[in-house]
Amino acid sequence: MDYLETTGRIFDVQRYSIHDGPGIRTIVFLKGCVLRCRWCCNPESQEYAIQTMKVQGEDKLIGRDVTVREMIELVEKDRPYYYRSGGGLTLSGGECLCQPGFSRDLLRAAKERGINTAIESMACAEYGRMEELFPYLDLYLMDIKHTNPVKHKEFTGRSNELMLENARKTALSGQTKLVIRVPVIPTFNDTVEEIQDIARFAATLPGVDKIHLLPYHRLGQDKYEGLGREYLMDGIEPPSAEHMDTLKRAVHAVCNLDCQIGG
Ligand code: SF4
């Protein structure tokens, strides 16, 4: 079968994004994730199944099946913006590795058209599946949420051993640029010691020179209500700008990584 006919399930496309990779980007959000992070701001991404969510009182269908051809035609419309800004295509979710064939083929279509590619992913997948993406991947924005497996399991539903091992294998492969991103979540990983543990781990990964600290926000809260789900972070405040600066200094105290807040 022509790889352009590979199908995948997405729930959103965001154009003209200036986050999630260099330059101006088109973000394709894929359905499905194996984690259940308590703070997830895209809870409608977690189930692979197509769902109904109440949005401003109206039922909205979340999820649709598309081909690589449809998606790349849409992505190509933004080529002038990529050209001027150094931007491109980013796959997000959900977890794009839950649909590895579609992700690989969409990245391939972009690369074959000279479009820069990135993924946002937490690397919870069989490494062989991840490797299939690397020939077509310029930048891997990889979430590392915690170094402690017990706490990781308590707050996300899964332990972190596979993800840490995959981070190491990805870095050692040298096949794609790797940036480590840490969602900073109060009550989970926002102490100086916890962030320094993650930074020390990231600094051991060959080729990694950047770490991004992403402060928790509540933008996804209404979606939980729309899905009839409880919001488990109720009452938890986002970290202050002062605390984020403290964490940034704490990273610099233990490693030479370039640390930025946001990104
Ligand atoms: S890994 Fe990302 S998409 Fe999956 S549950 Fe966690 S925050 Fe949500």
Side-chain angles (χ1 to χ4, degrees):
M1 188 181 78
D2 182 349
Y3 81 93
L4 292 172
E5 303 310 322
T6 304
T7 57
R9 184 166 291 174
I10 67 164
F11 68 95
D12 202 6
V13 177
Q14 195 179 316
R15 298 170 72 187
Y16 319 120
S17 172
I18 52 163
H19 305 290
D20 312 305
I24 298 173
R25 308 196 69 83
T26 305
I27 320 286
V28 178
F29 292 88
L30 280 72
K31 270 287 231 175
C33 186
V34 290
L35 298 191
R36 292 293 179 268
C37 305
R38 289 190 192 177
W39 60 88
C40 183
C41 62
N42 286 330
E44 78 277 38
S45 74
Q46 294 173 351
E47 299 293 332
Y48 178 74
I50 293 175
Q51 297 166 282
T52 304
M53 179 168 79
K54 277 248 185 291
V55 179
Q56 294 171 340
E58 304 282 329
D59 278 347
K60 183 178 173 194
L61 213 54
I62 306 292
R64 65 188 172 99
D65 293 335
V66 295
T67 62
V68 168
R69 187 188 301 281
E70 275 173 66
M71 280 296 98
I72 202 63
E73 282 173 2
L74 181 69
V75 168
E76 281 218 89
K77 288 184 182 161
D78 293 338
R79 187 190 283 275
Y81 299 99
Y82 310 148
Y83 180 70
R84 289 192 209 110
S85 69
L89 166 69
T90 299
L91 304 189
S92 185
E95 168 54 64
C96 65
L97 294 171
C98 288
Q99 300 187 57
F102 176 67
S103 296
R104 178 200 58 218
D105 290 350
L106 184 49
L107 294 172
R108 176 180 166 187
K111 279 314 292 173
E112 287 183 356
R113 287 156 180 78
I115 295 171
N116 177 274
T117 59
I119 63 172
E120 296 182 310
S121 151
M122 44 61 184
C124 186
E126 195 189 314
Y127 182 68
R129 289 291 174 86
M130 293 170 57
E131 259 187 321
E132 287 182 21
L133 271 56
F134 293 166
Y136 314 113
L137 185 61
D138 295 311
L139 175 64
Y140 197 141
L141 298 165
M142 186 183 288
D143 262 28
I144 302 280
K145 303 171 198 291
H146 213 293
T147 57
N148 180 314
V150 175
K151 205 160 183 191
H152 197 281
K153 184 163 185 185
E154 186 188 345
F155 280 76
T156 72
R158 285 225 187 180
S159 189
N160 60 357
E161 287 93 345
L162 175 65
M163 296 162 233
L164 297 182
E165 189 188 328
N166 282 339
R168 185 163 300 287
K169 285 179 177 169
T170 302
L172 284 168
S173 81
Q175 287 189 81
T176 182
K177 174 83 184 149
L178 179 60
V179 170
I180 300 301
R181 306 213 301 181
V182 186
V184 176
I185 313 295
T187 72
F188 172 56
N189 67 356
D190 68 330
T191 66
V192 163
E193 293 73 24
E194 285 164 311
I195 294 295
Q196 285 182 328
D197 283 347
I198 298 171
R200 280 193 199 92
F201 171 76
T204 67
L205 301 173
V208 170
D209 56 10
K210 285 189 175 61
I211 185 166
H212 296 172
L213 304 180
L214 312 179
Y216 160 72
H217 58 73
R218 290 209 199 94
L219 295 180
Q221 185 165 0
D222 291 350
K223 297 179 184 175
Y224 285 83
E225 205 174 301
L227 291 165
R229 287 175 56 183
E230 184 187 359
Y231 186 58
L232 297 171
M233 301 291 286
D234 213 12
I236 293 178
E237 295 293 324
S240 66
E242 291 75 22
H243 187 58
M244 292 303 296
D245 281 339
T246 301
L247 296 179
K248 183 175 172 176
R249 283 196 299 275
V251 169
H252 287 148
V254 294
C255 66
N256 291 325
L257 296 178
D258 171 15
C259 178
Q260 83 179 43
I261 296 170

